[in-house]
Amino acid sequence: MNNGIFELKNVHFAYLGKFPALCGIDFTVYQQDKIALIGANGSGKSTLLHLLDGLIFPGKGTIRAFGRELKEDLFNDISYSRDFRKRVGLVFQNPEVQLFCPTVKEDIVFGPLQLGMDKAIITERLERLICVLDIKDLLERPPHQLSIGEKRKVAIASTLIIDPEVLLLDEPTAGLDPLTTRHIVDLLIQEHKSGKTLIVSTHDLHIVEELADTVYVVSQEKRIVKSGKPQAILADFQLLQAHNLIHIHRHSHEDTTHAHPHLHTEHH
Amino acid sequence: MKRANNFIERSLMGALSFLKESIFADELAARPGFLQSLDPHVKAITMFSFIIIVLFAKSMLLVMYLYVQCLLLALCSKIRLGFFLKRTWIFMPLFALFIAVPAIFSVFTPGEPLFRFQVSGIAFIITRQGISGAGLFVSRVITSVSYATLLSLTTKHFVLLKVLRVFKIPQVFVMVIGMCYRYIYLFMEIVENTYLAIKSRAGVIIRYRHGQHIVAWNIAQLWQRSYQLNEDVYSAMRSRGYSGEPVILNGVKTGKRDWFWLCYALTLVIGAVYFTYWRR
Ligand SMILES: Nc1ncnc2c1ncn2[C@@H]1O[C@H](COP(=O)(O)OP(=O)(O)O)[C@@H](O)[C@H]1O
Ligand SMILES: [Mg+2]
C-alpha cells in the first residue's frame, strides 16, 4: 500500500469559526503505523483526533481517509458512515463523556449494536475483552459510579469491541496508576501487533517510546513543529522544555541548590 | 475566577451523573413488573390513550378512576408509591400557583359564591364553579403527568426512543424531546447548586443585587458548558456508530398479556368517549 490511510493537507480548524484549534497540519498515516502526538494542553491534540474520527471537519485544507476526502455530507450515507465507524475507533479523552448507558455491559455493546454486527460475534468479543481488561465485576454497574481507571478501561473496551483497523486514543493513561497504565500499554501494543494502526495523544512521556514509532510534537501555535523517532525527540531537552513537556527541577542539597531538566521517562 | 470555575465543573459533573442516574439509569425499567413485561409499543399506545382520555374528560369521577388505576399500575410495576408520588407531584405547585389558584376566584370563573373575604378593601369571591374547575384541572394535569412518568420509568431509554420512532415521530423531534428532558433536570440542579454556592460564599444574608449578579453569570456559563457537554456526548455516540436510529439488544414479542391489556384499554377509551359525549 503506497497511499496513506489518512492524508492531511494544510488542515485548519477553528471552534465556532473563531477559536483556532489547528493551524495548518500536514500529516500522513500509513497502515500499521504507531504514532504519538505530544504537546502541551490546548495544543490541539484532541481536535486532531476528532477530525480523524470524522466528528468534525476542517475549515480549510483537506483530510483524505482510505482514499476518499472526508466531508460532512459523506456521513449522511448510512453505509459509508457504518463502514467508516467500523474501521476507525476513538477513545475519548474524557471517559465521562464516552459512557452514557445505564450499565457497563450495555455501554460496551452499544457500538457494535449500532453498527449492526452479529450478536454472536459481539458476545464472543465481549467475553474476551472482559478477560483481558479484568472488568467482569463491573458489568452490571452504572458506569458513572466507577473510578477514573475503571471508566478508562470500560471506555477502551467499548471502542476495542468494534475491532477497528485504526485506533485513536486521546490521553489513554492520564490519571492512572502505574500498574493500570502498564496494562493498558501492553494491551495497545498487542492490538498493534495484531495489525491495527495506533494513534495516541499523550503528554505522558513514559509511554511514548513503547507506543510510537513516530512522534509528532504539536506546539501551542497549533502546528506540528517536529516529528521523528521517539529516541531522538525524547533526547531533545530544549524542544521538550519549549513545549511544556518537561520542567526544570530544582533540588536543594544540604547547602547548594542545583537545577537540571527533568524528564519523566523513568520512575524514581 | 478559579473557584468559580471549579464550581461550574463540579455542578456540571454532578448534574451529568445525576442525569445519567435519573434518566439513563434504567434500574426501574429492568425490574420484573407488570408494565415492564408488556411490549413497549402496546404500553406506549395504551399510556397515550389514557392520557388522551384524561385530557378530554369532563367528569371528575373518570379522572379519579384513571388516577387510581395509574397508582395501581405503578404498584404492580414494583415502583415505590412514595417515590412515584414525589416524582409526579414535584411540578404541581407551579401549575397550582399560576393557573389553578387564580381560576377559583370570581374574576376568572364567575358563578355561585362560596367564600368571600377582603384584602385591603378589595373583595375576593371564590366560586363553586371555580373550585371544581380548578380541581378538575389539577387532577387532569397530575394524572396525565403520572401516566407519562410511568411510561418513562418502566421503559428503557433507548427502547422509548425507538418506540417514538415507530409512531413516525420525526427523529429530530425525538432528539429534541430527549434534550429538553435533560435540560429540565439540569436546570433544577443548577438552581440548587447556585443557591448553595451563594450561601457558601456570601453567607445566608446577602444583598439581593450581589446574589443576582452571581446567579446571572453562572447560569450563562453553565448553559454554554452544558451545551458543549451535550455535544460531546453526542459525538461519542456518533463515533461508535449511532446514526439517530437506536438499536437494542433484545426485542420483545407481543404476547397474550399484551392483547388483553390492549382490549381493556380500548374498552376504557370507548366507554369514556360514550360517557363524555353521548350520554348527556
Ligand atoms: N469546544 C470548544 N470551543 C472552543 N474552543 C475549543 C473547544 N475545544 C477546544 N478548544 C480550543 O482549541 C484548542 C485545542 O484544544 P484541544 O484540541 O482540546 O487541545 P489538547 O487536546 O491538545 O489539550 C485550545 O486552544 C482550546 O481552547
Ligand atoms: Mg485533549
Side-chain angles (χ1 to χ4, degrees):
Chain A
M1 211 169 160
N2 48 358
N3 276 340
I5 49 180
F6 284 109
E7 287 171 285
L8 283 73
K9 290 224 171 66
N10 192 31
V11 167
H12 290 250
F13 181 86
Y15 284 96
L16 308 171
K18 59 185 173 187
F19 304 110
L22 288 176
C23 303
I25 300 284
D26 290 289
F27 156 71
T28 307
V29 182
Y30 297 94
Q31 187 133 32
Q32 232 194 333
D33 268 358
K34 225 166 44 163
I35 291 175
L37 302 166
I38 61 175
N41 291 325
S43 53
K45 304 181 297 291
S46 299
T47 308
L48 183 52
L49 292 179
H50 286 224
L51 278 165
L52 294 176
D53 197 34
L55 295 172
I56 51 180
F57 301 88
K60 219 174 94 188
T62 56
I63 301 187
R64 297 175 70 81
F66 310 108
R68 251 177 110 172
E69 189 177 340
L70 281 190
K71 286 243 177 75
E72 191 150 16
D73 46 11
L74 207 54
F75 283 86
N76 293 336
D77 174 1
I78 297 283
S79 69
Y80 179 83
S81 155
R82 275 198 172 182
D83 183 54
F84 185 86
R85 302 279 171 228
K86 270 185 201 169
R87 296 175 83 171
V88 184
L90 168 65
V91 177
F92 282 68
Q93 177 171 358
N94 182 358
E96 202 77 57
V97 160
Q98 190 171 349
L99 306 175
F100 41 76
C101 292
T103 64
V104 166
K105 186 175 165 192
E106 280 167 274
D107 231 317
I108 297 177
V109 299
F110 177 85
L113 278 181
Q114 300 303 315
L115 293 168
M117 292 183 186
D118 187 67
K119 300 215 165 119
I121 295 180
I122 298 179
T123 321
E124 188 192 308
R125 285 189 192 158
L126 180 66
E127 289 301 320
R128 195 183 73 88
L129 283 169
I130 291 169
C131 231
V132 174
L133 288 163
D134 189 23
I135 47 175
K136 191 166 180 50
D137 298 336
L138 307 179
L139 282 187
E140 297 305 326
R141 290 179 56 189
H144 60 90
Q145 288 177 357
L146 307 181
S147 77
I148 174 83
E150 292 167 333
K151 279 182 193 160
R152 267 261 150 62
K153 282 191 192 173
V154 174
I156 290 175
S158 69
T159 302
L160 278 184
I161 196 170
I162 299 171
D163 198 25
E165 285 167 41
V166 184
L167 256 182
L168 310 169
L169 299 119
D170 202 347
E171 304 194 15
T173 59
L176 299 188
D177 60 63
L179 189 65
T180 313
T181 302
R182 194 64 250 154
H183 277 327
I184 288 179
V185 170
D186 288 343
L187 176 65
L188 295 180
I189 291 172
Q190 201 56 45
E191 293 293 330
H192 175 257
K193 280 203 184 117
S194 75
K196 291 194 196 328
T197 309
L198 216 58
I199 306 178
V200 181
S201 102
T202 185
H203 35 223
D204 184 356
L205 299 181
H206 292 108
I207 63 171
V208 166
E209 201 160 351
E210 284 181 276
L211 282 187
D213 293 328
T214 318
V215 180
Y216 289 88
V217 182
V218 192
S219 73
Q220 305 277 38
E221 286 72 48
K222 284 117 176 137
R223 259 184 232 117
I224 292 176
V225 284
K226 184 136 189 191
S227 66
K229 292 257 166 277
Q231 294 78 3
I233 302 268
L234 292 179
D236 191 344
F237 285 137
Q238 243 167 7
L239 176 80
L240 295 178
Q241 204 185 318
H243 294 97
N244 283 0
L245 290 161
I246 50 173
H247 52 95
I248 303 284
H249 247 228
R250 274 181 207 289
H251 295 275
S252 295
H253 304 286
E254 300 283 286
D255 44 3
T256 59
T257 300
H258 75 160
H260 62 83
H262 182 71
L263 173 59
H264 288 275
T265 46
E266 306 97 44
H267 297 284
H268 50 194
Chain B
M1 195 68 191
K2 189 75 202 147
R3 264 176 71 191
N5 272 330
N6 280 344
F7 155 69
I8 289 173
E9 202 68 54
R10 241 186 310 114
S11 42
L12 260 183
M13 281 311 156
L16 188 68
S17 65
F18 175 74
L19 288 179
K20 285 177 174 170
E21 206 146 12
S22 56
I23 296 147
F24 298 117
D26 296 334
E27 192 250 323
L28 285 173
R31 288 188 190 172
F34 173 66
L35 286 176
Q36 288 91 335
S37 74
L38 291 178
D39 175 330
H41 300 114
V42 169
K43 179 165 53 179
I45 292 173
T46 52
M47 295 295 138
F48 284 134
S49 51
F50 292 150
I51 290 175
I52 290 169
I53 301 178
V54 167
L55 293 181
F56 289 97
K58 289 181 186 149
S59 124
M60 189 69 172
L61 213 63
L62 181 59
V63 178
M64 288 323 283
Y65 173 76
L66 282 163
Y67 188 58
V68 170
Q69 172 183 299
C70 182
L71 296 184
L72 286 178
L73 279 175
L75 279 179
C76 295
S77 306
K78 306 234 188 302
I79 297 171
R80 269 187 298 112
L81 210 53
F83 169 80
F84 187 69
L85 290 177
K86 211 165 84 188
R87 240 188 115 122
T88 44
W89 281 89
I90 195 162
F91 300 104
M92 280 317 288
L94 275 180
F95 283 109
L97 212 63
F98 290 109
I99 301 166
V101 170
I104 64 177
F105 292 102
S106 62
V107 195
F108 299 100
T109 319
E112 182 187 334
L114 217 54
F115 304 103
R116 45 182 95 222
F117 56 91
Q118 288 208 338
V119 178
S120 51
I122 304 164
F124 286 88
I125 301 166
I126 294 174
T127 63
R128 181 184 296 280
Q129 284 79 354
I131 293 253
S132 67
L136 186 61
F137 174 80
V138 168
S139 41
R140 269 185 192 165
V141 170
I142 191 71
T143 311
S144 41
V145 167
S146 298
Y147 275 109
T149 311
L150 198 56
L151 176 63
S152 73
L153 280 180
T154 58
T155 317
K156 296 201 172 199
H157 183 69
F158 281 107
V159 178
L160 193 60
L161 288 183
K162 196 164 172 61
V163 167
L164 293 179
R165 287 288 292 137
V166 171
F167 290 127
K168 301 277 178 246
I169 298 176
Q171 186 179 320
V172 177
F173 195 69
V174 173
M175 263 159 62
V176 169
I177 294 179
M179 220 102 108
C180 285
Y181 197 53
R182 276 183 266 172
Y183 275 128
I184 289 174
Y185 277 91
L186 187 59
F187 188 73
M188 293 184 357
E189 193 77 345
I190 292 169
V191 170
E192 195 184 329
N193 276 331
T194 309
Y195 168 72
L196 285 180
I198 293 174
K199 214 167 89 170
S200 77
R201 264 187 280 174
V204 183
I205 305 154
I206 49 158
R207 293 215 329 276
Y208 172 68
R209 293 211 43 103
H210 180 57
Q212 199 180 30
H213 176 74
I214 301 178
V215 174
W217 184 77
N218 273 329
I219 287 184
Q221 286 258 335
L222 264 169
W223 282 125
Q224 224 168 341
R225 293 277 204 106
S226 68
Y227 174 75
Q228 187 57 45
L229 208 61
N230 234 330
E231 281 275 282
D232 288 346
V233 171
Y234 186 55
S235 311
M237 291 170 81
R238 273 193 301 150
S239 172
R240 284 194 275 152
Y242 182 72
S243 56
E245 292 288 351
V247 181
I248 50 183
L249 196 52
N250 304 311
V252 184
K253 277 250 175 70
T254 317
K256 240 191 210 145
R257 188 188 280 234
D258 295 304
W259 291 115
F260 275 127
W261 181 243
L262 201 59
C263 288
Y264 166 71
L266 203 66
T267 318
L268 199 65
V269 171
I270 294 171
V273 170
Y274 176 73
F275 278 107
T276 311
Y277 293 101
W278 278 286
R279 232 190 55 169
R280 303 212 176 148

